[in-house]
Amino acid sequence: MVTARNTVNAMSGSQRMVCHGPIAPYYPNFLEEAERQALELDIDAWKFYTGVFNMRGEYSWWMDDEELIYPFYEKIKSWGKNIINVHKGLPFNQNLKPGVTDYTNPRDIKKVSLDHPDLNIVVYHSGFKSDNPSLPSEDMSLSDTGYLQWTTDLCRDRINNPAMTNVYMELGTTFGHTVITHPRICAHLLGQIIKAFGSDHVLFGTDSIWWGSPQWQIEALRRFQIPEEMQDKFGYAAITDEDKTKILGLNAAKIYKIDVAETRRQISVDRMAQLKEIYLQEGGRPSNNHYGWILG
């Protein structure tokens, strides 16, 4: 399976797909499969799931395993395919026994980042460990420490290792999971990752396949601000409009080498632009129609 999303090929002026090729060491002949994806399918980036269900020959693994995965890194750099997106946080298996390792922990990011500075590593979900189906409680402990499992640990790794400039934090599901129902957790999350990695190393994501239309999340980020008392207490910076513009697209465009000005010119005359113009002419107000299954 290759995951993909639409964008504009600014060089050719035509539509193309930005594709992520899933790969793992347990794939049969996985280096050969990676070569096929890179050279025949011309994928743009890779997608890792280091923590799996251990079914059908799958097994969990660490990104900093030198024997298992480092040969892959050398290969992909030779092909010019150096963007790695990795699912970290949001554990798949919430019923692990005490003492059993959870490989969705982002503790392996530091070493692979420092060992391979010419890779771009995008940490999906910002490594956030939610105790699904509930979130960490907004109790006094959070108010006193601001500690978020795994995300705070990864932020500390970045602060203590300034050379980790090739690591980016992605917000998919984590932002949508917190911004409305747990805004203080969301404030800690954004405050910490911006403080540690910089607003130019945060990528917006929605996981809209699970959450529906992403528009509400886009609007939520546009409106969101860290409360001033939290800024003062924890040293978080206010999130500027410039920060939000970077997060909502410019940072990803830079990683994927998308010409933003040319892309905007291309989409200004496409079918979606035409529909938007019709929408504005009809008043520019939402219809409030709900699309999908309605259970009675």
Side-chain angles (χ1 to χ4, degrees):
M1 181 183 76
V2 175
T3 58
R5 62 184 180 188
N6 284 315
T7 186
V8 171
N9 186 332
M11 300 302 293
S12 67
S14 60
Q15 294 287 334
R16 71 175 176 90
M17 305 296 290
V18 172
C19 299
H20 297 167
I23 198 70
Y26 52 75
Y27 279 34
N29 303 311
F30 94 98
L31 290 180
E32 289 81 358
E33 170 59 15
E35 183 172 3
R36 184 187 73 86
Q37 293 184 25
L39 303 185
E40 294 183 23
L41 302 181
D42 194 25
I43 63 164
D44 298 279
W46 307 94
K47 184 65 183 291
F48 285 171
Y49 293 90
T50 55
V52 294
F53 292 105
N54 300 321
M55 299 169 60
R56 299 184 299 276
E58 298 176 350
Y59 56 81
S60 297
W61 50 284
W62 292 117
M63 285 182 62
D64 60 357
D65 187 320
E66 296 186 18
E67 181 177 349
L68 189 65
I69 197 66
Y70 274 35
F72 169 82
Y73 299 146
E74 298 305 326
K75 286 279 189 181
I76 66 174
K77 286 185 284 187
S78 72
W79 301 326
K81 307 290 186 180
N82 68 333
I83 304 172
I84 294 174
N85 302 283
V86 56
H87 179 109
K88 287 293 184 178
L90 303 187
F92 296 119
N93 189 345
Q94 298 291 333
N95 299 310
L96 286 175
K97 297 178 181 179
V100 175
T101 299
D102 193 326
Y103 288 79
T104 60
N105 189 314
R107 70 188 193 190
D108 51 349
I109 299 296
K110 178 179 74 172
K111 176 174 168 54
V112 70
S113 165
L114 297 174
D115 287 350
H116 297 275
D118 38 4
L119 296 179
N120 286 322
I121 304 167
V122 182
V123 182
Y124 272 35
H125 321 298
S126 296
F128 181 70
K129 184 181 187 296
S130 70
D131 296 321
N132 208 17
S134 63
L135 287 167
S137 62
E138 296 182 351
D139 57 13
M140 290 303 297
S141 174
L142 183 70
S143 297
D144 289 340
T145 67
Y147 179 74
L148 303 173
Q149 287 190 78
W150 297 0
T151 298
T152 298
D153 300 325
L154 185 54
C155 288
R156 290 171 179 170
D157 282 345
R158 173 64 180 85
I159 291 170
N160 293 330
N161 295 273
M164 288 176 61
T165 55
N166 58 336
V167 178
Y168 298 79
M169 300 289 266
E170 189 264 356
L171 297 174
T173 286
T174 298
F175 179 75
H177 201 25
T178 59
V179 67
I180 301 298
T181 57
H182 293 74
R184 294 187 70 82
I185 290 178
C186 189
H188 279 298
L189 177 89
L190 291 175
Q192 290 177 29
I193 63 178
I194 291 174
K195 182 177 181 180
F197 291 87
S199 63
D200 58 346
H201 278 61
V202 180
L203 274 60
F204 191 65
T206 63
D207 268 349
S208 57
I209 189 173
W210 309 118
W211 295 91
S213 169
Q215 188 60 38
W216 70 272
Q217 293 190 58
I218 296 169
E219 293 180 10
L221 181 60
R222 284 294 187 194
R223 298 174 182 179
F224 192 82
Q225 188 54 261
I226 300 172
E228 291 185 6
E229 33 103 1
M230 294 181 68
Q231 295 179 33
D232 295 340
K233 182 173 182 177
F234 295 97
Y236 302 149
I239 308 175
T240 66
D241 289 343
E242 181 182 4
D243 293 334
K244 294 174 180 179
T245 299
K246 290 178 180 178
I247 293 168
L248 283 167
L250 294 183
N251 293 337
K254 184 176 181 179
I255 293 176
Y256 285 97
K257 296 182 173 58
I258 294 172
D259 185 326
V260 174
E262 177 61 16
T263 299
R264 283 177 169 162
R265 189 191 70 80
Q266 294 281 344
I267 65 177
S268 67
V269 294
D270 68 5
R271 176 60 177 160
M272 289 301 297
Q274 295 171 8
L275 292 173
K276 180 179 179 181
E277 184 61 30
I278 295 171
Y279 165 75
L280 293 175
Q281 291 176 2
E282 293 178 349
R285 298 181 64 82
S287 69
N288 295 319
N289 287 340
H290 184 83
Y291 298 91
W293 293 103
I294 299 177
L295 301 178

